[in-house]
Amino acid sequence: ADRARLLPDRHAFLGSLVRPEVAEPDVQAWLDGDDPRPIVYVSFGSFLSARSDVLARVVEGLRDQPVRVALAHGSTAPGALGSTPRHWLVRPYLPQVAVLARASVAISHAGNNSVTEALAAGVPIVSMPCSTDQFAGAAALEAAGLGRALDPNAASPNTIGDAVMEVLGTRF
């Protein structure tokens, strides 16, 4: 083996690090509410939140499911999502680590931070990868039994809702 590619004799692999995060009081109050339905956290990150078409199908697929939804819509205008139930928490940004600590399922683009933070919280992921390493990450999550991978360009609202309900029982 090429010595330049080997790790030094003294090294430590730390793995991914997840920062602590405190939710704002109103978000924490929603998380602590007495609604017993499982929480689904939805976020496509800062860049891919522009995929209003995907977010609108996610909303439609979850609207009639027996869940509470915490949705970070990012740059998508709330009006592009269609109607959202009053019991949902819908904001441009949500404290992801804090919400994942209470979530039962995450819907994500399978970006590295989202995957790392969801796995650290023991939350299975319905991934809808859109670019680069997200495809490999989504496939690996599904192969490991840690969620489902869906095509963001083709998944129907029913497919999205069914995938969420399927993984709800797989919190690890």
Side-chain angles (χ1 to χ4, degrees), residues 32-134:
D32 293 340
D34 60 3
D35 189 332
R37 290 175 285 194
I39 294 172
V40 177
Y41 173 63
V42 179
S43 175
F44 285 87
S46 54
F47 179 68
L48 291 170
S49 67
R51 289 292 309 264
S52 58
D53 60 319
V54 178
L55 283 170
R57 281 185 278 123
V58 168
V59 168
E60 186 177 343
L62 297 179
R63 187 179 292 122
D64 295 325
Q65 299 294 344
V67 297
R68 294 193 308 159
V69 174
L71 181 129
H73 62 78
S75 62
T76 288
L81 301 174
S83 66
T84 57
R86 296 180 62 92
H87 67 277
W88 287 16
L89 178 64
V90 180
R91 303 277 172 79
Y93 166 82
L94 288 167
Q96 181 162 287
V97 173
V99 174
L100 284 168
R102 298 293 298 279
S104 296
V105 177
I107 299 178
S108 166
H109 60 303
N112 183 63
N113 284 348
S114 297
V115 169
T116 299
E117 292 167 358
L119 292 179
V123 177
I125 303 166
V126 173
S127 56
M128 301 178 78
C130 296
S131 68
T132 60
D133 63 331
Q134 297 165 12

Side-chain angles (χ1 to χ4, degrees), residues 137-147 149:
L141 286 166
E142 189 167 72
L146 302 174

